[in-house]
């Protein structure tokens, strides 16, 4: 069986960040996502039934303060994927793992277990970390930015060997040493689960191109030409390394019957109820510890962070949104990770109003 992440739909769909309180929106608006297990199950099953390709959790150990204390309540992502894998049928389940905080021998086995629970629908999202406060919780070593990716490369090589090597082996690397390493059962997906990464710095993107099956990119949104160059650069690098060239982005969605209603709803939760303290805390750390955005761009980007964790806006009527998706597809985007303020209500509206238009536009095969 092929992992559903690699479906033939021209525009693949996923839902992102619903394992976290507030989801992707840094706001105190009353309907912000409270995040319960029952709601997680309902949303996962809704997306599964509608034929979406993927469910992506955010790996987060601590909130960002402010009145919303954005993302302070989060479900751990491996146990989350195992639980949702057991109650869904076709959709890919991802887990987001901070490799410096989790040992590869343990995660290799957890990943194999989820791959069995889901019959080959598991994907591992490798993150190297940028939120220093979380590392302090673990007393974990905080390496220089580029060293974190060297560490991740060895971590992944070790995990991959555990997923493929039948005999016991010793490991004597720069970061890991061990004797008689061994892991059974092997994952259902031959060679191990699909691997994703969302590195945005030059080193992060190279890591992704060399080691991963797909990249989740944060478009800098300066202008269309530079976004296209960013996507093409990533894809070219992946192809040079003989790897799949899928490129997904995170989009935040505000879809209403009229454009004016959509803009008013966006303005309400971002400007009227936006949590500036939480977003400033997040961006001061993200700016220093990742190499994604220039300081000058950061200020302008605050709006996108409050609106949807730095994602790309899809705001307007269903028809306008499908037109915007067509543009993104022409730019080389293969998949969209969606988030909303009210995941349950707005995902259902997407299924009822946007999905049929996507199918009519040839972006996705009609559902059976
Ligand atoms: C779609 C997407 C999802 C991400 N998910 C997480 C996450 O769950 N936890 C985390 O610590 N970082 C996450 N990141 C951050 C990236 O892993 C990466 O650290 C960040 O883009 C900065 O790039 P750099 O590490 O190359 O500097 C995500 C980024 C993107 C674009």
């Amino acid at each position: 069986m092929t992992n559903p992440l690699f479906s033939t739909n021209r525009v693949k769909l996923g839902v992102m960040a619903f394992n976290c309180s507030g989801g992707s929106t840094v706001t105190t608006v009353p309907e912000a996502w409270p995040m319960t297990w029952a709601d997680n199950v309902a949303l996962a099953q809704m997306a599964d039934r509608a034929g979406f390709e993927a469910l992506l959790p955010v790996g987060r150990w601590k909130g960002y303060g402010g009145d919303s204390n954005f993302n302070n309540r989060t479900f751990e992502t491996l146990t989350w994927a195992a639980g949702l894998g057991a109650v869904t049928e076709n959709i890919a389940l991802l887990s987001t793992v901070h490799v410096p905080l989790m040992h590869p021998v343990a995660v290799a086995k957890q990943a194999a277990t989820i791959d069995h629970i889901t019959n080959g629908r598991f994907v591992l999202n490798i993150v190297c970390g940028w939120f220093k406060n979380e590392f302090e919780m673990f007393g974990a070593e905080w390496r220089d930015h580029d060293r974190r990716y060297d560490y991740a490369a060895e971590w992944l090589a070790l995990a991959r060997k555990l997923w493929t090597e039948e005999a016991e082996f010793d490991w004597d690397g720069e970061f890991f040493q061990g004797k008689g390493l061994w892991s059974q059962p092997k994952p259902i997906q031959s060679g191990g689960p699909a691997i994703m990464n969302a590195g945005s710095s030059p080193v992060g993107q190279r890591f992704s191109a060399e080691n991963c099956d797909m990249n989740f990119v944060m478009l800098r949104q300066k202008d269309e030409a530079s976004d296209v160059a960013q996507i093409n650069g990533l894809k070219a690098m992946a192809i040079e390394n003989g790897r799949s060239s899928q490129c997904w982005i995170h989009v935040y969605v505000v879809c209403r019957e009229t454009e004016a209603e959509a803009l008013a709803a966006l303005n309400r939760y971002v400007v009227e109820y936006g949590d500036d303290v939480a977003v400033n805390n997040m961006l001061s750390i993200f700016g220093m510890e990742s190499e994604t955005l220039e300081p000058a761009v950061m200020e302008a980007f605050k709006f996108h962070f409050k609106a949807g964790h730095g994602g790309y806006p899809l705001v307007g009527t269903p028809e306008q949104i499908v037109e915007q998706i067509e543009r993104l597809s022409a730019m080389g985007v293969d998949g969209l990770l969606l988030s909303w303020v009210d995941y349950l209500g707005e995902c259902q509206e997407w299924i009822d109003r946007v999905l049929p238009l996507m199918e009519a536009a040839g972006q996705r095969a009609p559902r059976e």
Side-chain angles (χ1 to χ4, degrees), residues 16 56-60 77 96 98 125-131 134 145 148-149 196-205 216-218 248-250 286 289-292 337:
M16 170 159 168
L56 173 69
V58 166
R60 192 85 302 135
T77 69
T96 301
H98 284 87
N125 174 24
I126 288 191
V127 293
C128 295
W130 56 267
F131 191 20
E134 308 183 306
H145 179 272
R148 282 176 234 156
Y149 282 96
M196 79 157 263
N197 174 259
S200 303
S201 61
V203 168
Q205 292 183 4
F216 282 48
V217 61
M218 182 182 276
W248 288 52
I249 63 168
H250 169 207
F286 190 69
E289 301 297 348
S290 78
E291 294 174 8
T292 306
L337 291 164

Side-chain angles (χ1 to χ4, degrees), residues 42-261:
L43 184 60
Q45 291 179 333
M46 183 189 291
D48 189 29
R49 278 194 303 271
F52 286 28
E53 279 80 4
L55 301 171
L56 173 69
V58 166
R60 192 85 302 135
W61 302 90
K62 192 167 205 171
Y64 296 95
D67 289 339
S68 63
N69 200 358
F70 175 62
N71 282 182
N72 71 317
R73 294 177 65 254
T74 59
F75 285 133
E76 187 284 319
T77 69
L78 287 156
T79 42
W80 176 90
L84 292 183
V87 295
T88 50
E89 286 175 7
N90 298 307
I91 199 162
L93 269 303
L94 290 93
S95 291
T96 301
V97 168
H98 284 87
V99 291
L101 305 181
M102 319 271 271
H103 198 281
V105 174
V107 176
K109 193 172 259 306
Q110 288 163 315
T113 307
I114 302 169
D115 213 37
H116 280 258
I117 293 171
T118 58
N119 193 25
R121 292 185 280 132
F122 183 59
V123 183
L124 186 64
N125 174 24
I126 288 191
V127 293
C128 295
W130 56 267
F131 191 20
K132 206 173 171 182
N133 309 29
E134 308 183 306
F135 279 58
E136 287 167 0
M137 288 170 63
F138 287 78
E141 184 177 346
W142 184 247
R143 296 180 181 84
D144 287 347
H145 179 272
D146 294 359
R147 286 295 282 163
R148 282 176 234 156
Y149 282 96
D150 294 337
Y151 182 94
E154 189 180 326
W155 189 104
L156 182 57
L158 175 46
R160 281 203 163 118
K161 188 149 186 182
L162 286 160
W163 288 326
T164 50
E165 179 65 59
E166 294 295 338
E168 276 193 19
F169 62 92
D170 294 342
W171 188 273
D172 188 16
E174 186 182 356
F175 300 101
F176 297 100
Q177 293 79 37
K179 291 210 178 309
L181 275 74
W182 167 260
S183 193
Q184 288 287 356
K186 301 302 180 203
I188 298 281
Q189 293 170 82
S190 146
I195 304 290
M196 79 157 263
N197 174 259
S200 303
S201 61
V203 168
Q205 292 183 4
R206 191 163 354 105
F207 169 82
S208 183
E210 287 173 357
N211 297 287
C212 304
D213 300 301
M214 59 191 313
N215 188 272
F216 282 48
V217 61
M218 182 182 276
L219 292 181
R220 293 183 178 85
Q221 303 185 39
K222 215 166 80 199
D223 53 58
E224 194 166 312
S226 63
D227 286 344
V228 169
Q230 198 182 342
I231 295 166
N232 286 345
L234 267 166
K235 290 193 168 190
M237 232 192 307
I239 289 165
E240 265 168 39
N241 285 284
R243 307 203 73 89
S244 150
S245 59
Q246 271 206 49
C247 183
W248 288 52
I249 63 168
H250 169 207
V251 294
Y252 60 87
V253 181
V254 186
C255 181
R256 298 291 186 273
E257 284 309 310
T258 66
E259 187 180 357
E261 283 174 75

